[in-house]
Amino acid sequence: MSAYPNAAAATTVTPSAPAASTDAAPAGADACCDGPLPVLGRDVTVPLVTGGEVTYAALDYAASAPALQRVWDDVAAYAPYYGSVHRGAGYLSQLSTDLFEQSRATVHEFLGCRPSDQVIFTRSTTDSLNLLAQVLPAGCQVFVFETEHHASLLPWRDARVTYLNAPRTPEQAVETLERALADREPYGPALVCVTGASNVTGELWPVRELAAAAHAHGARIVLDAAQLAPHHPVSVTELDVDWVAFSGHKLYAPFGSGVLAGRADWLQEAEPYLAGGGASRKVTRRVSGEGAGGVDVEWHTTAARHEAGSPNVIGVYSIASACRALTEAGFDRLVAREQELVRRVREGLADVPEVRILSLFGDDAPRVGVISFVVDGWNSSHFAAALSAEYGIGVRDGLFCAHPLVRTLLGSEPQEPGECGAPEAAPGERSLNAIRVSFGAGTPDEHVERFVGAVRELVTDGAKWQYRTEEGRCVPAV
């Protein structure tokens, strides 16, 4: 039992703690209506090259979602009580330790983890998957689709990796994995890595079916939920995955924290991801015998084993706050509203013949609020720059840290290499890039309506401004 019973919420840290801001309604207050959740930056205005200002339309949620106002208020209320975690005797250190561990319990519940699962706090999804790659048992075989984000495609390079071709249906994804697993060496550990929702197409992957296929062939599976967790409930137990990884900055929480949650055995049996304070339970000087003069270390077997150093307690608390906020708002309501926004954007883009939406599984595939496309006659960097400079709309252009997938989806799509902002191509290759629009729980209807109207206007009338390439980016010419 905690010595500080009021530490469960930052707004009630002590009787004299500052109350959370009342400028914005708490996340759950909108549960009975259809509006967006309050987020930071919703009233920010930006200048237009054509004159005047406009409220910024942040449509790059897949890169970093804006922080929920609720999360920011919780962090602000806790900040005066910040202290070192796990190793301080003072009141604030003890309180911060309680808050840190209660945040772990919140994330454990949010992810529907099994009782024995560990929740490890990291810097990001990338960090989480690199951690898991470092604890793989000797001889582990890894199976990963070429369609993965680089965070889940690249960490396994020191293992025996089988890269699977891009499937064109969910059923083909399962069949491809089953064939690969059936052909593997019939002994030793194996791991499958798969995304929950593509950061390029937004399409949902058949995670439960892939997990069943993995387990049927004696393999484990890790779910990259970076793009899934902000949009849909994720349950480790219901999906029957062995681990799940996600990032706070995509879950409406700032400060650069992430999560790896799942089975403890591989994590406990491996050397710590980082060596240092916090990971070590006992360190003694070796004074005799072989290796005299060195040190002997006894490592923790809890999550602390892979959390060396002073943890990002504010980042961790912000993740827990976001988990609570999304749960209280109700995922059914959030999903329904987001799907309406997806429908509006897809139908609006479909009305512009020059636009081609990128997809692996086809138009009817379920998806989250992530849509990538190309526009005939435009380089994607040029188009994205015009959306920003002339309409105050922020989207992403490029290959989205998923180069093999985007190259597969673009195929022979023409992109003029001499256009403004066109990325440099290797000798013998064409310049390829696409545009991505992404949105979520904090996106107002007006932002997607402005985006669809801007796409239609740019395609019909062209850009109103001249642009030039500067350090590889397309920018307005001064």
Side-chain angles (χ1 to χ4, degrees):
M1 179 71 67
S2 167
Y4 303 99
N6 289 330
T11 54
T12 55
V13 169
T14 68
S16 59
S21 168
T22 57
D23 292 340
D30 278 345
C32 62
C33 62
D34 296 325
L37 299 186
V39 294
L40 294 183
R42 58 191 179 275
D43 297 323
V44 168
T45 59
V46 294
L48 303 179
V49 292
T50 51
E53 293 185 341
V54 67
T55 302
Y56 184 65
L59 297 179
D60 193 16
Y61 275 46
S64 286
L68 287 171
Q69 184 69 53
R70 154 74 176 276
V71 172
W72 194 258
D73 290 344
D74 280 353
V75 168
Y78 161 64
Y81 301 89
Y82 171 83
S84 62
V85 172
H86 290 146
R87 292 179 289 280
Y91 179 87
L92 297 190
S93 292
Q94 292 292 304
L95 186 148
S96 294
T97 298
D98 286 349
L99 204 69
F100 187 83
E101 293 304 330
Q102 288 167 9
S103 295
R104 196 189 307 275
T106 296
V107 173
H108 191 283
E109 181 180 5
F110 178 77
L111 292 174
C113 290
R114 298 164 290 257
S116 60
D117 285 340
Q118 286 188 346
V119 172
I120 297 174
F121 290 115
T122 66
R123 293 178 298 174
S124 60
T125 307
T126 301
D127 196 33
S128 296
L129 294 172
N130 274 272
L131 188 167
L132 187 59
Q134 292 298 311
V135 305
L136 295 180
C140 186
Q141 294 178 263
V142 178
F143 298 83
V144 57
F145 286 93
E146 66 171 348
T147 47
E148 293 291 312
H149 185 282
H150 293 172
S152 47
L153 183 71
L154 300 181
W156 325 104
R157 291 173 299 157
D158 292 336
R160 292 187 296 162
V161 188
T162 298
Y163 295 101
L164 307 176
N165 292 334
R168 286 299 182 171
T169 65
E171 295 75 17
Q172 189 180 83
V174 177
E175 293 168 0
T176 298
L177 178 61
E178 287 181 330
R179 284 196 303 270
L181 290 172
D183 291 341
R184 82 179 182 96
E185 297 175 8
Y187 58 86
L191 177 70
V192 176
C193 180
V194 67
T195 190
S198 171
N199 78 303
V200 176
T201 68
E203 292 164 315
L204 298 179
W205 277 62
V207 177
R208 187 179 288 104
E209 292 81 0
L210 290 167
H215 294 152
H217 289 86
R220 296 189 180 189
I221 185 168
V222 57
L223 170 64
D224 175 353
Q227 300 296 339
L228 183 62
H231 303 275
H232 278 270
V234 173
S235 171
V236 169
T237 303
E238 292 181 9
L239 293 174
D240 197 23
V241 296
D242 298 281
W243 293 278
V244 62
F246 72 89
S247 296
H249 72 100
K250 299 185 192 298
L251 196 78
Y252 310 101
F255 305 114
S257 286
V259 168
L260 176 68
R263 301 197 183 278
D265 53 351
W266 287 6
L267 295 163
Q268 291 175 347
E269 294 163 6
E271 288 292 300
Y273 182 46
L274 297 173
S280 55
R281 184 173 180 272
K282 180 181 179 181
V283 180
T284 56
R285 182 71 183 272
R286 190 183 305 126
V287 296
S288 63
E290 185 178 352
V295 293
D296 292 316
V297 184
E298 180 183 332
W299 304 108
H300 280 294
T301 57
T302 63
R305 186 184 189 90
H306 298 289
E307 292 178 343
S310 295
N312 180 1
V313 60
I314 287 182
V316 165
Y317 180 54
S318 71
I319 288 180
S321 174
C323 290
R324 288 192 298 270
L326 293 174
T327 300
E328 292 168 10
F331 265 110
D332 287 347
R333 194 274 278 201
L334 297 176
V335 170
R337 181 175 182 276
E338 183 178 305
Q339 288 307 301
E340 173 60 20
L341 297 182
V342 169
R343 183 192 65 79
R344 292 186 196 178
V345 172
R346 287 180 57 83
E347 289 183 357
L349 294 179
D351 286 339
V352 183
E354 293 82 356
V355 170
R356 180 169 77 88
I357 297 176
L358 305 182
S359 176
L360 269 176
F361 300 154
D363 290 342
D364 295 331
R367 65 195 75 227
V368 299
V370 179
I371 299 168
S372 295
F373 62 98
V374 290
V375 183
D376 186 32
W378 285 79
N379 178 271
S380 295
S381 294
H382 188 188
F383 200 89
L387 285 173
S388 174
E390 300 178 27
Y391 298 92
I393 298 171
V395 297
R396 182 61 59 106
D397 66 277
L399 299 176
F400 318 126
C401 292
H403 294 186
L405 170 57
V406 179
R407 291 178 183 277
T408 295
L409 294 173
L410 290 177
S412 59
E413 193 71 28
Q415 298 260 321
E416 293 296 331
E419 278 199 58
C420 178
E424 293 184 4
E429 292 187 356
R430 295 176 300 104
S431 171
L432 297 175
N433 59 348
I435 306 155
R436 183 182 70 192
V437 56
S438 53
F439 40 87
T443 304
D445 293 12
E446 185 275 328
H447 288 186
V448 298
E449 292 166 2
R450 192 198 319 171
F451 166 76
V452 170
V455 170
R456 185 180 297 111
E457 191 170 292
L458 280 173
V459 170
T460 302
D461 302 333
K464 302 181 181 69
W465 204 261
Q466 294 296 313
Y467 296 82
R468 61 184 176 85
T469 300
E470 182 177 292
E471 297 182 353
R473 298 294 306 166
C474 190
V475 298
V478 178

